[in-house]
Amino acid sequence: MWYEALPPFMIIIGLMSASAMGLKFVDRLTNNGKPKRYRLDKYERYLMQRDERITGSDAVQQDITGHRA
């Protein structure tokens, strides 16, 4: 019957959701808690390089007084 297909379907959906959430967790873990950046242009890459030179991480911004944003 049709209801016999529900348990495997739920398992597949559950595993796909777990892998997507795990990937998002790893991205945030490696990017200092900020979401992954997509579609970067030349200027944004320049700013990331500048931030990395100033703070040691491309995901952390710092103002002129040394406070992290």
Side-chain angles (χ1 to χ4, degrees):
M1 303 309 279
W2 65 270
Y3 54 83
E4 293 174 347
L6 288 179
F9 179 71
M10 296 306 241
I11 291 171
I12 291 170
I13 295 298
L15 291 175
M16 290 175 68
S17 299
S19 66
M21 286 187 280
L23 183 60
K24 187 173 183 177
F25 174 75
V26 169
D27 282 343
R28 284 188 175 257
L29 185 66
T30 59
N31 204 20
N32 292 332
K34 299 199 176 182
K36 191 173 181 178
R37 298 180 184 183
Y38 295 102
R39 295 178 297 276
L40 299 175
D41 61 5
K42 188 176 180 180
Y43 182 68
E44 288 172 336
R45 286 196 177 108
Y46 167 75
L47 291 177
M48 287 174 62
Q49 290 173 353
R50 182 203 62 173
D51 292 340
E52 189 168 8
R53 281 195 312 267
I54 293 172
T55 64
S57 173
D58 62 352
V60 176
Q61 291 82 29
Q62 190 171 2
D63 65 7
I64 198 164
T65 61
H67 294 94
R68 291 186 176 205

